Amino acid sequence: MLKNIAISTLVFLLSNLLNISSFATPYPGRVESDSRTYFYDATDSEIPCDYMRIKQLGKGSFGVVYSVERRSDGEIFALKISKEPLDNSWIKEANESERSILLGLEHPNILRYKHGFSEENYDTDCKHIGSITYTFYELLDNDLYQWMTSSRCTFADCIYIFSQILSGLVYLEQREIIHGDLKPENVFLGEEKSDSEEFPYLHVVIGDFGAAFTKGSERAAGAEYRTSLLYRAPEHFEAIAEETPSRHDRIDVWALGCILYELLSGTQVFTLPEYKPLKEEGSGSSSLMPDLWESSILPQMEGVRQLLNSLHEEEPSSEQVSAVFQYLNLNTVSDLSEKDRLLFALILSDMLQLDPDARISACE
């Protein structure tokens, strides 16, 4: 009952408080996400000849992303170029999985797949060294990470962005699809204007499905190594540390809880001490993971959970609610009524439960 009221209140707050601003104030307190290994830097010669490169947008484990213009009609796309070496099958598997999943999705809060193709790849001596996959998507202006580091969002902005991501997760959950690497860098934003509206609105979509899989599929194996550290669910940390199988059905909700906390507070749920990059792909675990999990990450998670859960008990006083929000640095909601602040604490508490059985689902 409480969860239904919470969602209903979110919709009400969104309809009454939404007022997308120009976002001129710096957004404080965020550190860089965990490092990844970049395989190569594409050159202009690797852009298909019927497209013109505009600029590089980013790069990651699976390749490099550019904005490109199709020469024939001037249409703009985001193009991801992924090299697939013969001795590294997981990149090819990830690209094929992403393409097959996106082909079956159509939702306003899911990045639109346009088209794609693959070519054989040869070195300068004409030796076959693998293949190259070109994947074209709709192009949006920004991602949530870049937006948060350069802007300060209002409470209405937080609610709007959160509700749009949640809408996409509900759609995925209904189709038993797990994104597997939800984080601000994989949430894309762009301004759009419909024929019936005078002003543009913020279009929010979930993208980068390279780590995605369907429940029960072979791709689920090793999923705990593909999630980014700062948004990785506790059950994944535990599975790596203890070298045991993990469940995955509520990992996206945990990640969304981390994003909501970050939107509201300007800081991350937990921080990482200096560490050597951990193995993110494949099998096996790093010897650093148990120490990192037990000494740093778990205590921070438990501290946040205990504070939020304390507001579930009996009728918390206004002083208790204020103290919790001040400690958690939830600055964006400081001007809300006590009732609304308590509501957000309960929503965060339901999403950031360490036990996945106690964690709320997207559909709930």
Side-chain angles (χ1 to χ4, degrees):
M1 181 66 179
L2 176 61
K3 294 169 183 175
N4 292 333
I5 294 174
I7 298 302
S8 300
T9 307
L10 271 178
V11 175
F12 173 79
L13 289 169
L14 172 62
S15 63
N16 285 277
L17 296 174
L18 180 59
N19 178 24
I20 301 303
S21 60
S22 58
F23 314 128
T25 308
Y27 190 85
R30 196 175 196 282
V31 298
E32 290 290 340
S33 294
D34 50 298
S35 300
R36 298 247 184 185
T37 300
Y38 302 139
F39 291 103
Y40 68 102
D41 288 313
T43 62
D44 282 341
S45 63
E46 291 172 319
I47 304 292
C49 60
D50 46 348
Y51 292 87
M52 180 173 62
R53 167 180 168 169
I54 300 175
K55 65 178 181 179
Q56 180 175 310
L57 300 176
K59 58 183 179 179
S61 298
F62 299 103
V64 180
V65 180
Y66 297 94
S67 57
V68 297
E69 178 181 339
R70 187 159 56 194
R71 298 179 188 274
S72 61
D73 58 8
E75 185 171 357
I76 305 297
F77 301 90
L79 166 62
K80 181 172 73 173
I81 303 177
S82 299
K83 286 186 175 180
E84 302 164 351
L86 291 175
D87 60 351
N88 201 328
S89 61
W90 67 263
I91 304 178
K92 184 177 181 65
E93 292 170 0
N95 286 329
E96 291 175 348
S97 175
E98 179 180 31
R99 184 164 52 241
S100 65
I101 287 175
L102 285 176
L103 279 171
L105 302 180
E106 186 174 353
H107 188 273
N109 301 119
I110 301 297
L111 187 70
R112 289 193 293 269
Y113 169 85
K114 295 293 189 176
H115 57 278
F117 59 91
S118 296
E119 295 179 343
E120 297 304 312
N121 190 21
Y122 298 86
D123 63 15
T124 54
D125 296 324
C126 296
K127 179 182 177 182
H128 183 219
I129 57 175
S131 58
I132 303 179
T133 293
Y134 303 89
T135 310
F136 296 82
Y137 310 90
E138 66 172 319
L139 177 64
L140 281 84
D141 302 328
N142 213 340
D143 65 51
L144 184 55
Y145 170 69
Q146 293 174 331
W147 181 76
M148 287 194 301
T149 55
S150 61
S151 306
R152 179 72 186 187
C153 60
T154 66
F155 173 70
D157 303 332
C158 296
I159 298 304
Y160 179 79
I161 293 172
F162 169 75
S163 66
Q164 297 299 292
I165 302 172
L166 178 60
S167 175
L169 281 191
V170 168
Y171 177 80
L172 294 177
E173 189 173 284
Q174 290 171 340
R175 284 150 186 79
E176 297 191 332
I177 295 172
I178 297 167
H179 183 276
D181 195 19
L182 188 63
K183 57 182 177 179
E185 291 89 337
N186 290 339
V187 175
F188 301 96
L189 303 90
E191 286 193 349
E192 294 193 4
K193 184 177 180 181
S194 65
D195 296 334
S196 60
E197 295 180 334
E198 182 179 357
F199 300 103
Y201 65 92
L202 195 63
H203 183 204
V204 182
V205 301
I206 301 171
D208 195 343
F209 281 72
F213 56 93
T214 54
K215 289 183 180 180
S217 67
E218 293 183 0
R219 282 278 295 166
E224 56 269 25
Y225 293 95
R226 297 192 291 268
T227 54
S228 297
L229 283 172
L230 292 172
Y231 305 90
R232 179 175 291 170
E235 56 268 32
H236 275 188
F237 277 109
E238 290 178 343
I240 296 173
E242 299 172 6
E243 300 187 23
T244 57
S246 176
R247 58 181 291 182
H248 313 293
D249 53 316
R250 301 287 173 93
I251 62 172
D252 288 342
V253 172
W254 171 274
L256 180 56
C258 293
I259 292 172
L260 176 59
Y261 181 94
E262 196 167 340
L263 281 167
L264 294 172
S265 71
T267 58
Q268 293 159 320
V269 176
F270 64 92
T271 57
L272 296 173
E274 289 195 10
Y275 67 99
K276 297 177 181 178
L278 302 178
K279 189 173 185 180
E280 288 292 325
E281 314 291 349
S283 59
S285 62
S286 167
S287 60
L288 295 176
M289 180 58 74
D291 291 339
L292 183 66
W293 165 245
E294 294 175 5
S295 65
S296 178
I297 299 172
L298 179 59
Q300 293 181 67
M301 287 182 177
E302 287 183 331
V304 172
R305 179 189 60 80
Q306 289 172 2
L307 279 170
L308 292 172
N309 280 2
S310 69
L311 300 181
H312 277 283
E313 301 170 1
E314 301 176 354
E315 287 290 332
S317 65
S318 58
E319 292 78 12
Q320 185 180 5
V321 174
S322 297
V324 169
F325 274 70
Q326 183 178 2
Y327 183 84
L328 294 178
N329 196 33
L330 297 178
N331 305 315
T332 307
V333 295
S334 60
D335 295 330
L336 293 182
S337 68
E338 179 185 331
K339 179 181 178 181
D340 288 338
R341 283 192 292 162
L342 179 58
L343 167 67
F344 273 88
L346 296 177
I347 291 173
L348 277 170
S349 177
D350 286 338
M351 300 178 74
L352 296 178
Q353 290 291 328
L354 299 187
D355 180 0
D357 287 324
R359 195 178 307 148
I360 194 173
S361 70
C363 290
E364 290 173 331

